[in-house]
Amino acid sequence: MLEDILEPKEVIIFKQPFDFEYNGTSFNELAMTNKRIVFYKRTGLIFKKDNTSSTPLKNINSVHFQEKGVIRKKGILEIDLGMGDPIGLEGNPSEIKYIYNKILSNL
């Protein structure tokens, strides 16, 4: 569970089921705590394995939301960490905008 990887005094602000790829690894949940953004996936039927990656909130320089398309719209979220390429997430515009607003309101 995502809660198992939290540090002491770390609290989940929001979590959103969301299939995406980050740094070549697929994840199915995005969460934001009072300290970091967490990318998470639990695998295995019998023997559960947690796969996680995270970045501290203090490393976020900017967050950018864009909507593309006319008929088949998609939302694009870019999280700039100031270390080369930004983290890019694409998907349903309303889901992406929700994530964008949550991140912005907690920076």
Side-chain angles (χ1 to χ4, degrees), residues 6-64:
L6 298 180
E7 299 173 0
K9 297 184 181 181
E10 188 171 20
V11 179
I12 295 174
I13 296 169
F14 85 92
K15 62 181 177 178
Q16 175 83 13
F18 187 76
D19 291 321
F20 62 99
E21 194 170 299
Y22 172 60
N23 280 346
T25 304
S26 65
F27 296 95
N28 60 9
E29 193 166 22
L30 175 87
M32 183 175 184
T33 71
N34 56 326
K35 297 181 179 184
R36 59 191 169 141
I37 293 179
V38 181
F39 308 102
Y40 179 81
K41 183 173 188 174
R42 178 167 264 197
T43 59
L45 295 173
I46 297 171
F47 300 104
K48 303 290 184 192
K49 297 176 196 146
D50 292 330
N51 188 3
T52 185
S53 182
S54 64
T55 188
L57 293 177
K58 65 182 180 182
N59 289 356
I60 297 175
N61 287 340
S62 65
V63 182
H64 178 72

